[in-house]
Amino acid sequence: MYLRLIVGVILVGVSMVLSGCNGARESNEVAYIIAMGLDKAEEKGMVTVTYKIAKPSVEGSKEAGGDAFLISNTAATIAESLNLLNSTIAAKPSLSHTKVLVLGEELSRQGLTDIWGSLFRYREYRGSMFVLIARGTAKKFLEESKPTTNMSPAKYFETVLSSGEESGYFLRTSFHQFYHRLKSRSSQPYATLVGINPQSGKGQITVPTVPGGKTNGYIAGEIPREGGNPAEFAGTAIFSGDKMVGMLSTTETRILAMLLGTFHRGFLSVEDPLDPKSYVNVYLRLGSSPKIKATLKDGHPLITVKVLLEGEFTNITSGINYEEESYLKLAESQINNVLQEEMANFIRHTQELNSDVAGFGYYMHPLFSNMQDFLDYNWNEKYSQAEVHVEINTKIRRTGLMLRTIPMEK
């Protein structure tokens, strides 16, 4: 009898304690940081941190870009910067809903080892937040980024980073993925490249079109356009170790997506093989995961890459009937040649920078009896010496809403 009473009292007491909300705060008592930017400060050994903070009272309102504000400070560490931020605003800063971490170009080229450990260790930093590398400074990017659609800044970052799979022109990278590659001895880190466009209608071609192609490569901030949000997501920042060593253009990023098996879909324009003044548009997607095989010959790495693509005609300006079997092979061959050239240039570029962002090192693992032997081989140093053979196989599966192309009468 007494035992049941004692157990009952204990259970009631425990349930009251466990259901308590001792640490609860009202939403207007918390400053939710949507985005955080890190830049190298002018003072030696200091870092400039920029916070984009949501206004709880208007979060999700219809005022485009008007539901957040920016605060910047300079400190010796990120932790000290958070202390200074807490002295600036009335609410408690919270990183639990941070969507993006933006790193300035100069800081990224200097090296991220000292910063990354502190970010990964503290519990409020989410492994799912996205990593962006800003051309120029992260502060300017966050200041100039003004969504033109009626959505909150948090939703804007989520939406735009998800849209990258529509073209393959930029790849989203989570904080966890970046850190994993940073620690890996089989690949190198990469992150989304962002920048501010002057919106003058003029741009700068980063990678010119290859023979037979119709598509130039651009990086963020250099796309020829006017109007809209000045912020651009285009291209990829690539690293060797913890240091940024270069940038990939939009077309090179698409090739990287194909090698990683993350290319979902996108348009490609090539010269008409029978009428070079005209062009053929196709809508491409991966037909299967890329087939990558690695071997060693006298200690020299040899890598074979086979990529299967499936496509759909979306425009044939010459009016030639490429739906016909004999002509279809010509169009497929033209696409293969263009993409093989782009992939060869991509590999050459990354080897010059000694940055295996495609992760070929993972395919080297079966060639060694144990992991220590692979680590002793030092793949990240051997990548620049690797011989890589590329084979693209394109199959046009669909012809759009037209069964046969008939030229228009002039």
Side-chain angles (χ1 to χ4, degrees), residues 134-360:
R135 295 188 64 208
T137 65
K139 180 181 179 181
K140 182 179 180 182
F141 175 77
L142 291 175
E143 286 176 340
E144 298 292 330
S145 179
K146 299 174 182 177
T148 54
T149 52
N150 295 331
M151 64 175 64
S152 68
K155 186 64 176 176
Y156 163 73
F157 284 120
E158 286 183 346
T159 304
V160 72
L161 286 165
S162 296
S163 69
E165 63 187 33
E166 297 296 329
S167 63
Y169 275 4
F170 64 89
L171 303 176
R172 58 182 181 180
T173 305
S174 70
F175 181 62
H176 177 78
Q177 289 171 331
F178 190 98
Y179 185 76
H180 175 76
R181 281 176 165 258
L182 186 64
K183 291 293 185 179
S184 173
R185 300 281 291 276
S186 307
S187 62
Q188 297 287 6
Y190 65 86
T192 308
L193 187 65
V194 298
I196 298 300
N197 193 297
Q199 299 179 307
S200 63
K202 300 178 181 179
Q204 179 69 41
I205 296 173
T206 305
V207 176
T209 181
V210 300
K214 284 286 187 179
T215 307
N216 294 313
Y218 298 93
I219 58 175
E222 301 294 348
I223 296 175
R225 70 178 179 94
E226 296 180 71
N229 187 351
E232 282 182 351
F233 296 68
T236 304
I238 62 175
F239 288 72
S240 181
D242 71 320
K243 294 181 175 63
M244 176 182 167
V245 293
M247 305 176 191
L248 300 180
S249 70
T250 49
T251 50
E252 290 174 314
T253 299
R254 180 173 58 193
I255 293 296
L256 174 59
M258 291 179 183
L259 291 172
L260 294 173
T262 59
F263 177 70
H264 294 273
R265 51 193 168 270
F267 292 100
L268 176 70
S269 300
V270 298
E271 284 184 2
D272 190 309
L274 297 178
D275 183 7
K277 294 181 180 180
S278 302
Y279 60 87
V280 176
N281 281 353
V282 289
Y283 192 53
L284 292 176
R285 67 179 181 86
L286 278 177
S288 64
S289 298
K291 310 298 181 186
I292 301 176
K293 183 179 179 180
T295 58
L296 284 173
K297 184 177 181 180
D298 299 327
H300 186 74
L302 302 174
I303 299 171
T304 302
V305 179
K306 294 183 179 181
V307 178
L308 173 64
L309 294 167
E310 296 181 345
E312 173 184 354
F313 285 130
T314 59
N315 193 14
I316 303 173
T317 59
S318 66
I320 297 173
N321 184 24
Y322 281 107
E323 295 86 349
E324 189 177 325
E325 185 67 23
S326 58
Y327 290 131
L328 183 63
K329 297 296 182 184
L330 289 175
E332 291 175 342
S333 178
Q334 181 79 321
I335 295 168
N336 292 340
N337 293 337
V338 168
L339 291 177
Q340 281 183 188
E341 184 68 20
E342 288 185 355
M343 193 167 289
N345 291 342
F346 162 85
I347 292 170
R348 190 179 306 113
H349 184 193
T350 55
Q351 285 184 320
E352 290 172 353
L353 298 174
N354 199 31
S355 178
D356 176 24
V357 287
F360 290 130

Side-chain angles (χ1 to χ4, degrees), residues 44-114:
K44 186 177 180 180
M46 304 288 276
V47 60
T48 297
V49 187
T50 304
Y51 302 94
K52 192 162 194 170
I53 303 172
K55 299 176 184 177
S57 60
V58 294
E59 176 65 19
S61 70
K62 294 184 179 180
E63 183 183 356
D67 47 4
F69 61 94
L70 291 178
I71 293 180
S72 296
N73 60 39
T74 301
T77 66
I78 300 174
E80 176 58 20
S81 172
L82 283 169
N83 284 338
L84 296 176
L85 178 64
N86 196 41
S87 301
T88 307
I89 57 179
K92 177 189 179 297
S94 173
L95 294 158
S96 59
H97 291 276
T98 304
K99 301 297 181 183
V100 295
L101 174 66
V102 188
L103 305 172
E105 182 178 348
E106 187 177 1
L107 179 66
S108 300
R109 290 187 181 277
Q110 173 184 285
L112 302 174
T113 297
D114 294 340

